[in-house]
Structure formats: C-alpha cells, structure tokens
Amino acid sequence: MAPAPWGCSPWLVLLCACAWGRPKSLDLREDVRNCSVSPPYLPVTVVNTTAQLTALRQQMHTQNVSAYIVPDTDAHMSEYIGDYDKRRAWITGFTGSAGIAVVTMGKAALWTDSRYWTQAERQMDCNWGLHKEVGTTPVVTWLLTEIPVGGRVGFDPFLFSINSWESYNVALRDSDRELVSITVNLVDLLWGSERPPVPSEPIYALQEAFTGSSWQEKVSGIRSQMQKHREAPTAVLLSALDETAWLFNLRSSDIPYNPFFYSYTLLTDSSIRLFANKSRFSSETLQYLNSGCTGPMCVQLEDYGQVRDSVQAYTSGAVKIWIGTSYTSYGLYEVIPKEKLIADTYSPVMVTKAVKNSKEQTLLRASHVRDAVAVIRYLVWLEENVPKGTVDEFSGAELLEKFRGEEEFFSGSSFETISASGLNAALAHYSPTKELHRKLSSDEMYLLDSGGQYWDGTTDITRTVHWGTPSAFQKEAYTRVLIGNIDLSRLVFPAATSGRMVEAFARRALWDVGLNYGHGTGHGIGNFLCVHEWPVGFQSGNIAMAKGMFTSIEPGYYQDGEFGIRLEDVALVVEAKTKYPGTYLTFEVVSLVPYDRNLIDVSLLSPEQLQSLTRYYQTIREKVGPELQRRQLLEEFSWLQRHTEPLASRAAPTASLAPLMTVSALTILSWSV
C-alpha cells in the first residue's frame, strides 16, 4: 500500500464503465448533473444539503465570517478518520476520503482530486460546485473572487495543520482578508443527533509479550532526549494518535483500520498528562498506568477536551514545549508562545518509534509468517475456483479477511483491501463493494493489495497474478516491476542515506523501456500501529534510513483501461556486510509469499537478480513451510513447494550493472539535495 495521499473509492468502478460498453470518447470530466434546467437533472444518489447550508450560514452570520472552511481531517491529522469526524461528508453529501469544502453566504464549493470526481457528481446536489483541483492555491484563488476585501474566513483551528494555516493565512492576509480561528466547530453545532456517537470502546493495555519495552522505559527514553536537547525542552506535546498509543502501549478502536483512541499527551520533565476519555479506562488499565499517584512516573488522566486549556496554562511558567509540526494542529500551536516553542518536523516519539528494537523486529517478523499463511491459502483457493467463474473481487476480499481472521492474534484489516481484476487494477487503488465489483477471470490479471493488524505487528503485501496466458507485454511489465523490487531490496547503501536517494533503483528497469508508475515506492509500517507509519519511506519528507526501520518496497505499472501490476513487500533495514570497513545498510524482506511464476520472463533477469530470487524463495520455504505442515495445510504446502522451485536461468551472462548503477544514481540524485 503506497504512501498517503492514497485512497480507494467504490465509485471509481464507474470510471471503468467505458470498458463495459460506454463510448470511448465520453469525457468523464463532464459533470453528470445538469443544474441549469428546471427542475435540475440529478442522479438519484445525490444528498439534499439545503437545510445544512442554511443553518451553517446562520452560524456564519453570528460569527461575522464571510466564508467557512470544512476540511477532511480530524484534530490529529490522521490518515483515516472516524465517522464522528466526517464533517465534510455531512455538510456536502460527498463521502470520498479526500476533499475540502468552502461555504460562503451565496455559494458552496468542493475541491477534490480525479479519484473522486464521478463520486462527487453523483452525491452532491446543485448547491455545490465541484472544482477538479487540489491544494491551497485554487481554494484561496476562489475565495478572493467570492469574498470582498476586508472579509473574514472562519476555520476550526483543530482541523488545520500548522502548514495549512500558514499557507491560507499568508495568502489571505496579503490580499486584505482575514483568517479567523473559531474553536467551536460550526458544523458540530448543527450536526446534532445525526452525528455518530463518540467512540466508547475500552482503552486497553497490550500484553507485555507484544511490546518491545515498557511504557516506563519509553517515557524515560524520551525524557533523556529532552535532557540532551540543546534547547532544553521541559515538555513534549504529542498530537498524533499513534504517538500516545505507542508511548503507553495502549490500544483501542476509534479509527478505521488503526487501533488508536482519541488522545493527547503532555510529557514534562516531572509529570505525565494523558488527555483522553477517562470513562474508557478499566480499573486494570488505570492500575497499569499508576493513575492517581503524584510521582514523575505516574500518569495523570485529564479530559480529552481540556488539552488546549491545559497546554496554555502550562506555558505560563518558565517552560519550553517540543512539538512535531507535521501532526500538531494549529489549535494547539496558537496557544504556545513562540519563544516557548521548539518545533521539529516530527516529534521525538515519532522518530524513536520508527526504529524497532530487537524484540519488536522479532514480533513483526512473526506476524508476517502467519500473514503469509493466510495469503497463500487465498491464492491456492483462487487457483482452484477462479476457473469456475464463481469468484468476484468483493467475495474474494471477504474470504481473505476470513482466512486472516483464523490467524493467531488477528485484530482486523490494516486498510481496505484492494482486490482488482483486469482493468480495475489499472486504477491502482480501486476497492470493490458488495454492489460494485467484477468477476475474476483466468484470462485477466488480478491485483491484491491487503494487510492485517495483529497484536504483534501490522502487515501489508501486494501480489499480482494471472491464471491464464498473459501477453508478452504483460510478462515484460511484470518482470520489470519485479526487477525493481529485487534491485532495491538487495541494494547496499551508506548509513543515514535518505530513501529518496535510492528510490530510483525500483524504477530503473521500467525507465529503461519508457515505463513508470505514479505513486510512491514505499512507506514505514508499525507494530500493531499504522500501516503507513511516518516518517520512514522513500519520499522527500521522510527521514534517513537507519538500522531497525521497516519499510514497504512496492514498484508497479498500470496500463490504463487494461491491467495493473504492483509487487509489494515489507522489508527491515539491516546492517550490510561489505568487503571494506564502513557502516552500510541493506534490506531484509520479511513478506513471505512467492511471486507469480506465470508472469516472470526469466530472460530479463540478470544472474544476480535470479540468485536473489532463489535465496528469497528458500527463505519462504524455511519460514512458512514448517508452519503450513504444522497446521496440516498439506495442499498449501505442496503449492508453496511448487511455486518456490528455483527458476531456470535463461539470462544473458552479462556482468551486473548494479555496482555502477549504485554509484551513478547516488551521485546524480545528490545533485538535487
């Protein structure tokens, strides 16, 4: 699963309608609504938002603002948001995961990207204008044309990142408009009884067997970093939900696919303050946290809604608060005097948890063995049943989750399964629904991108298969994607090298013949935490690679309207053995499912690549084979043995270009640093 921003929409299947009979010349950028006739033509799926907008404008009038911005996030800048926070969906009717809404006294507008254009047109009524752009600039440009000089633009500061606030504030201020922070969300005032309830599931502590270290050890480690910091912070403020979950080894289920709970933490040099819903802690969990005592290693529980006031009160003293700007909302940032602020891109907790200790590494490896069993069971079942014509994308995805659910320590999917047949796979992040899906066919490629949450780790793996006779181009494209996966995973590189410096190795085999892919090459992954765990990965905003980090490696290729290919593995950054002294790193792949032999053109593989693939297959046999035998999954074991046999070499006996490629690519990429 590639780095955010990615998402899936069942409505994307509608974009494929041309392949099922709609004219190829149809311009899908045209709005399917017709609001210029009376009565207007609207799909039956639209939501009437007149009452919501009327009520919102009354609130705007009370607040003396000319416009109000409704973003698509929560107060923690989460990748996935709970139903309780889907304000933009309620006010617009549009339920896609990405989009920003703005309401003025006379107009309402939504900005979203191409994944969701069709969906937005089918869900929004004529109160709303659809803008097929993303980013701050087009929103600000529209605002400047719609509100007069001196106008005020309202926003909820808890739903704006610091960077978002800065970009809006500068653009509006320079044009004599004012951005106004309103701490009471205006949509919340209107939502009323229709709003989903606040999550209330218990907040629980992970068993010691599934944690790398105790919460007391983690707190001591962060305090040690505070003491060594040149600016001597007296506190660390944690806003991202996975930060607090990791620090205290606590979990719950407030966010889809992520085992988190709404929370903040203010960790000072002498106290620990956890902001959450107190009623959700059992007596056992309270005892686990030593709640109620007063020492520096006792956790003081405070109400979730009190965090802003508590942080503001804390800043009245001689203090300095250390934050990570990527996940801290403007609602907290604005109450911290700038002379008392230490701001880094990521908090020390975010950076620390990115490097797994030896126990955490062992746990994650173990979760991938069990996950491989589930995926292999599914692939074996598909091989038997797809030729019967009885399997579709949705039912297949459901069966895979059932198989994962039978694995020890399973706690749900880590994201919405991408189960895409034929042309749907070209959409890269399409997901089927019960109503919208295609049959799987032996004559088409099938792309499966899925993952599980287990108490000991989070998994994410993608495999692409073809049960019939793939075309020569499909085999070449698949093999070149595989080469990119192999080349990056076997790369040796200096310690502290950034991911973006080596990312091109995953693309080189595709670039050689004029192919490419439009998404990121990988992302960090957590221990029963985020499937997209920042700040690890291959993008410009990621931190340098270090021993103990886990990242996905996932090159792909997508032929529009025909097929899609992605091969994704999770890999651990480990120390490399080199001929000469020095600190170098490489990757150890921990995903353990073989690739589709039917799609590999062995003649394109170098001897080194073939040897690497053979070693990987031997590792799969050694780690997964005994587990299949132990559980008497004999058919799956036989399938594994067949699919991990060494591939016959037909590669040309040419020397590998990898060493030269390493030097050249690192040199070229360093020019842009």
Side-chain angles (χ1 to χ4, degrees), residues 244-318:
T244 291
W246 175 87
L247 184 65
F248 296 108
N249 296 326
L250 294 174
R251 301 292 190 271
S252 194
S253 56
D254 296 5
I255 305 296
Y257 308 114
N258 292 158
F260 307 148
F261 55 98
Y262 290 114
S263 58
Y264 296 95
T265 298
L266 184 64
L267 173 62
T268 79
D269 49 12
S270 59
S271 66
I272 308 169
R273 299 158 76 176
L274 170 57
F275 299 86
N277 183 341
K278 296 179 183 179
S279 67
R280 299 173 60 188
F281 291 82
S282 67
S283 57
E284 291 79 10
T285 306
L286 291 175
Q287 184 177 5
Y288 162 83
L289 293 172
N290 297 318
S291 179
C293 63
T294 58
M297 291 303 294
C298 297
V299 179
Q300 304 300 312
L301 285 180
E302 299 191 23
D303 288 334
Y304 173 81
Q306 293 299 309
V307 62
R308 178 180 163 107
D309 291 343
S310 293
V311 169
Q312 189 168 22
Y314 178 76
T315 62
S316 64

Side-chain angles (χ1 to χ4, degrees), residues 240-467:
L241 297 182
D242 59 329
E243 293 179 313
T244 291
W246 175 87
L247 184 65
F248 296 108
N249 296 326
L250 294 174
R251 301 292 190 271
S252 194
S253 56
D254 296 5
I255 305 296
Y257 308 114
N258 292 158
F260 307 148
F261 55 98
Y262 290 114
S263 58
Y264 296 95
T265 298
L266 184 64
L267 173 62
T268 79
D269 49 12
S270 59
S271 66
I272 308 169
R273 299 158 76 176
L274 170 57
F275 299 86
N277 183 341
K278 296 179 183 179
S279 67
R280 299 173 60 188
F281 291 82
S282 67
S283 57
E284 291 79 10
T285 306
L286 291 175
Q287 184 177 5
Y288 162 83
L289 293 172
N290 297 318
S291 179
C293 63
T294 58
M297 291 303 294
C298 297
V299 179
Q300 304 300 312
L301 285 180
E302 299 191 23
D303 288 334
Y304 173 81
Q306 293 299 309
V307 62
R308 178 180 163 107
D309 291 343
S310 293
V311 169
Q312 189 168 22
Y314 178 76
T315 62
S316 64
V319 300
K320 281 194 173 182
I321 301 181
W322 191 2
I323 69 168
T325 58
S326 293
Y327 291 92
T328 304
S329 71
Y330 181 72
L332 296 179
Y333 176 81
E334 70 175 336
V335 301
I336 304 174
K338 300 308 167 276
E339 68 275 10
K340 298 184 178 184
L341 184 70
I342 300 172
D344 287 331
T345 303
Y346 304 107
S347 79
V349 165
M350 191 68 74
V351 174
T352 300
K353 73 178 176 61
V355 177
K356 277 62 176 174
N357 63 29
S358 58
K359 183 179 178 182
E360 290 168 324
Q361 293 173 28
T362 299
L363 289 168
L364 257 171
R365 286 191 182 99
S367 70
H368 280 80
V369 172
R370 296 194 310 279
D371 197 69
V373 170
V375 175
I376 288 170
R377 288 181 67 191
Y378 179 57
L379 292 175
V380 171
W381 184 89
L382 287 177
E383 200 169 281
E384 294 175 352
N385 288 277
V386 168
K388 301 175 184 177
T390 58
V391 186
D392 63 61
E393 298 163 329
F394 184 75
S395 65
E398 284 193 315
L399 181 63
L400 176 57
E401 182 162 19
K402 176 181 179 294
F403 285 153
R404 278 200 170 100
E406 295 171 4
E407 294 301 317
E408 199 172 17
F409 312 138
F410 181 71
S411 185
S413 296
S414 58
F415 58 95
E416 186 176 19
T417 296
I418 298 163
S419 173
S421 176
L423 56 89
N424 282 348
L427 295 168
H429 280 68
Y430 154 90
S431 285
T433 68
K434 189 173 183 179
E435 296 76 25
L436 297 170
H437 54 256
R438 296 183 78 234
K439 283 283 184 69
L440 272 59
S441 168
S442 297
D443 299 323
E444 293 182 320
M445 279 191 180
Y446 173 60
L447 188 154
L448 175 73
D449 186 348
S450 66
Q453 290 283 12
Y454 302 88
W455 293 345
D456 50 353
T458 302
T459 68
D460 183 4
I461 185 170
T462 308
R463 290 295 182 262
T464 306
V465 297
H466 195 304
W467 299 281

Side-chain angles (χ1 to χ4, degrees), residues 161 348 464 482 521 550:
S161 68
T464 306
L482 175 60
T521 294
F550 282 83

Side-chain angles (χ1 to χ4, degrees), residues 5 42 116 120 155 202 249 354 538 595 617 664:
L42 294 172
Y116 298 106
F155 74 104
N249 296 326
F538 298 93
Y595 309 112
Y617 279 180
S664 301

Side-chain angles (χ1 to χ4, degrees), residues 175-198:
S175 302
D176 295 324
R177 278 84 168 175
E178 183 182 1
L179 190 62
V180 181
S181 173
I182 304 173
T183 55
V184 178
N185 189 282
L186 301 189
V187 174
D188 291 354
L189 293 177
L190 316 173
W191 208 344
S193 61
E194 292 184 27
R195 188 178 189 184
V198 178

Side-chain angles (χ1 to χ4, degrees), residues 624-634 637:
V624 182
E627 182 66 14
L628 294 173
Q629 289 179 304
R630 183 185 69 82
R631 293 169 52 179
Q632 294 295 301
L633 295 171
L634 302 184
F637 177 76

